Amino acid sequence: MQNLQRPTGIINAVLDTDTYNEIDDQYALAYFLRSPERINPLAIYAAPFANVRATTPAEGMEKSYEEIHRVLHHCAREGFPAYRGSTTYLPDEYTPVESEAARDLVERALAHTPDNPLYVLSIGCITNVASALLMVPAIRRNIVVVWLGGQVHHWPNLKWTEFNMVQDIAAARVVYNSGCALVQLPCMGVVSHLMTTEPELRTHIKGKSSLGDYLYDITCDKAVREDGGNAAWSRVIWDISVVAWLLGDDFVKDVTVPAPIPAYEGGYLHDPHRHPMKVAYYVNRDAVFLDLFGKLAR
């Protein structure tokens, strides 16, 4: 319960990201690096994914690793610690997938304590984090996992449709059952309104910095390819919510609930006697983007 409370000082954190999957991970990575008032960033991990941009989880992870370095270049942070993650999803709920990322997470978590935990910000499928917990279960006491994934707990769809959850439900179950301090940022109905548009990006980040121009270009390029140049397009940038949660309840509001269990067939299994977790229920979109744009323009 102590570690479910939002931190007030500067905390140590790592970021686990499927950076090449979309364009919002890049914003979240830059936000992570440019929020020194709350975050002391220690490392970045490349998470696996597979879709139209990568045919296998291994390809998705490698492309994410390469994209991490492109963002680091535009942030003038070349040389920042970045590690390759899992090349497959978990085969079951008992077998970790060894990787540089999982081993580094274990090492860093063991160097922390319950009174001074490591914050693990995850914005992809949660395979790397689950693997670390399976490798050394005791690290659960020393970490706080803040995950962008899954839907709200009352979501009526019986099938999983949220990308970060559906790729590796076994990994999600490992994390939800581990007993670590867990904060969930659900997608539809909570962070799904963290959206931006071309006029907004052109006003606030284009021409302000190398980073701003890069983010503007990849966002507009994806919108044109996927929306056919529709003049009314908007793009979801919801991965920034994990950083926003750390910055204060003026940005993200949450509530404490018993941790549900993600079900393989879809939805959650609920038990009121399970350990507590935090789940966000509201995001102040304008306040978050005001803070984000100011940091991206530097």
Side-chain angles (χ1 to χ4, degrees), residues 37-288:
E37 74 278 15
R38 181 57 46 82
I39 299 172
N40 176 32
L42 300 181
I44 305 166
Y45 307 139
F49 76 91
N51 58 14
V52 296
R53 307 200 80 187
T55 56
T56 66
E59 181 186 357
M61 184 280 295
E62 187 63 29
K63 286 184 173 180
S64 292
Y65 180 75
E66 294 168 357
E67 183 70 4
I68 287 168
H69 284 285
R70 280 190 285 272
V71 176
L72 288 173
H73 168 73
H74 288 289
C75 289
R77 296 294 295 268
E78 292 95 337
F80 188 87
Y83 300 90
R84 290 179 171 87
S86 306
T87 56
T88 66
Y89 305 127
L90 290 191
D92 52 52
E93 295 178 37
Y94 312 99
T95 309
V97 180
E98 294 262 353
S99 67
E100 292 178 352
R103 289 190 292 271
D104 185 79
L105 176 53
V106 167
E107 182 178 338
R108 292 183 190 276
L110 289 174
H112 288 73
T113 67
D115 292 328
N116 180 34
L118 174 68
Y119 285 75
V120 182
L121 311 185
S122 181
I123 52 178
C125 75
I126 205 159
T127 311
N128 293 333
V129 180
S131 293
L133 283 163
L134 289 171
M135 290 161 65
V136 183
I139 68 171
R140 70 185 184 276
R141 303 183 183 93
N142 298 353
I143 63 174
V144 178
V145 177
V146 186
W147 185 42
L148 180 285
Q151 307 291 25
V152 291
H153 295 177
H154 60 273
W155 190 248
N157 194 331
L158 295 180
K159 296 292 184 182
W160 283 114
T161 55
E162 195 283 312
F163 188 68
N164 291 348
M165 176 74 82
V166 75
Q167 289 187 97
D168 198 343
I169 296 175
R173 288 167 62 96
V174 167
V175 175
Y176 276 71
N177 286 328
S178 70
C180 72
L182 173 63
V183 180
Q184 180 194 7
L185 283 300
C187 293
M188 299 307 295
V190 181
V191 304
S192 55
H193 66 294
L194 282 172
M195 307 181 81
T196 190
T197 63
E198 189 278 333
E200 190 171 50
L201 295 176
R202 178 167 16 99
T203 298
H204 294 289
I205 68 172
K206 182 176 172 58
K208 308 289 186 181
S209 65
S210 170
L211 174 64
D213 286 344
Y214 180 68
L215 295 174
Y216 174 86
D217 289 343
I218 62 172
T219 306
C220 293
D221 177 68
K222 187 171 180 61
V224 169
R225 283 188 287 106
E226 294 188 353
D227 300 334
N230 182 344
W233 66 259
S234 61
R235 304 305 303 172
V236 292
I237 313 290
W238 52 25
D239 283 352
I240 61 175
S241 61
V242 296
V243 177
W245 181 82
L246 286 170
L247 300 180
D249 63 3
D250 290 341
F251 288 172
V252 181
K253 295 189 181 298
D254 58 48
V255 65
T256 303
V257 300
I261 304 172
Y264 284 105
E265 61 272 19
Y268 299 92
L269 304 174
H270 296 276
D271 179 349
H273 303 293
R274 277 173 55 82
H275 60 277
M277 64 172 287
K278 284 285 186 81
V279 59
Y281 65 88
Y282 171 74
V283 177
N284 186 337
R285 184 265 177 205
D286 290 353
V288 171

